Amino acid sequence: MSARIIDGKAVAARLRARVAEQAAQFAHDHGRPPGLATIMVGDDPASAVYVAGKHKASGEAGIASFDHRLPADASREDVVALIERLNGDPEVSGMIVQLPVPAHLDGVELTGLVDADKDVDGLTALSAGRLALGLPGLRPCTPSGVMDLLAEAEADLTGAEAVVIGRSNLFGKPMAQMLLAANATVTVCHSRTRDLPATCRRADVLVAAVGRAEMVKADWVKPGAVVVDVGMNRLAGGLVGDVAFAEVSAVAAAITPVPGGVGPMTIAGLLRNTVEAARLQEARR
Ligand code: NAP
């Protein structure tokens, strides 16, 4: 068997085109576009690249972007004051505190101060709680993107065994919640899981988000499974995922590549959340 490749680039491009239409409609209806604000403290080069990517993508989707930079020695009070100002700014529909922040600041605490209705990363306790309770709210972008890719692969989630490797707040936990909400039977694995290969072999849908290059081998995968590779591992030869792509492709029914699978969905999901946040805020006015 040779797995169908789930083309994340194409799915993300379609999502971005749809978001651009919705942003234009919003601007037409309200006389201003949806807006995304980023806060970056310090000058971490990787963060600078990510932030620049978010602003470029926003511009292409017709979303206004506001780029706030604070020096590496900015005080907690300075950052808190900026977050509070942006929480109250009607031009700002969504806000991101770019992580990591310098060591004297607490990234989790600062992220938690973002108004949940502007929390386009979906990382505040309120957003996580809304997801867990099945209430409307902004969802984390990467697991939402995985749900889009599973839909693209026409994976039948109802009653399926879904195994997620990784239990981070950023990805693994919200991913498990979303699969559960879609009626899958969900198992979450982590570094203490006793027999990871055997647990993975049960999966009709296997999602790997570990950060270990090519850890998931062909004999961990049930024939005909749908495999989603969230891992991004930069090796000398380039970017590779957490799944041994070539050998697993011979067993799985469908698989996401790295690059070109989950990665492009994250920014597309951020744009979707920004427009969604703008609409929700207008509806509440
Ligand atoms: P993380 O916070 O480091 O979490 C990694 C998880 O993997 C933890 O739950 C850890 O278990 C588990 N783990 C580590 N070694 C393991 C092992 N040998 N066996 C089983 N589980 C193991 O990472 P993350 O933020 O969730 O990200 C995971 C990967 O996804 C990274 O490669 C990251 O770059 C990628 N990612 C990609 C995107 C994207 O846009 N494509 C977005 C987010 C993340 P413990 O909890 O027990 O430590």
Side-chain angles (χ1 to χ4, degrees), residues 3-16:
R4 173 183 162 197
I5 309 298
I6 306 168
D7 184 350
K9 261 189 178 162
V11 178
R14 290 202 299 273
L15 175 55
R16 285 168 69 152

Side-chain angles (χ1 to χ4, degrees), residues 38-53:
T38 58
I39 299 176
M40 187 173 141
V41 188
D43 47 14
D44 178 64
S47 293
V49 171
Y50 294 140
V51 167

Side-chain angles (χ1 to χ4, degrees), residues 164-167 187-197 199 210 212 215:
V164 180
I165 322 177
R167 59 173 165 181
T187 302
V188 182
C189 300
H190 46 79
S191 65
R192 312 289 177 87
T193 296
R194 286 206 181 130
D195 190 345
L196 185 60
T199 310
V210 184
R212 287 182 167 235
M215 183 179 84

Side-chain angles (χ1 to χ4, degrees), residues 142 166-168 170 190-191 196 209-212 230-232 262-263 266:
T142 308
R167 59 173 165 181
S168 66
L170 181 70
H190 46 79
S191 65
L196 185 60
V210 184
R212 287 182 167 235
V230 184
M232 295 206 300
V262 175
T266 300

Side-chain angles (χ1 to χ4, degrees), residues 35-37 83 86-87 92-99 107-108 110-131 136-141 144 169-170 269-278 280-281 284:
L36 175 67
I83 293 171
L86 297 177
N87 276 341
V92 172
S93 322
M95 188 195 324
I96 291 172
V97 180
Q98 184 68 38
L99 301 178
V108 173
L110 293 172
T111 300
L113 298 174
V114 173
D115 180 339
D117 293 339
K118 296 191 175 189
D119 174 25
V120 283
D121 269 343
L123 293 178
T124 62
L126 195 51
S127 295
R130 286 171 171 172
L131 171 59
L138 296 166
R139 308 301 195 216
C141 306
S144 296
N169 292 334
L170 181 70
L270 177 67
L271 304 175
R272 167 169 56 193
N273 275 354
T274 303
V275 173
E276 177 69 15
L280 287 173
Q281 287 154 35
R284 219 173 290 116

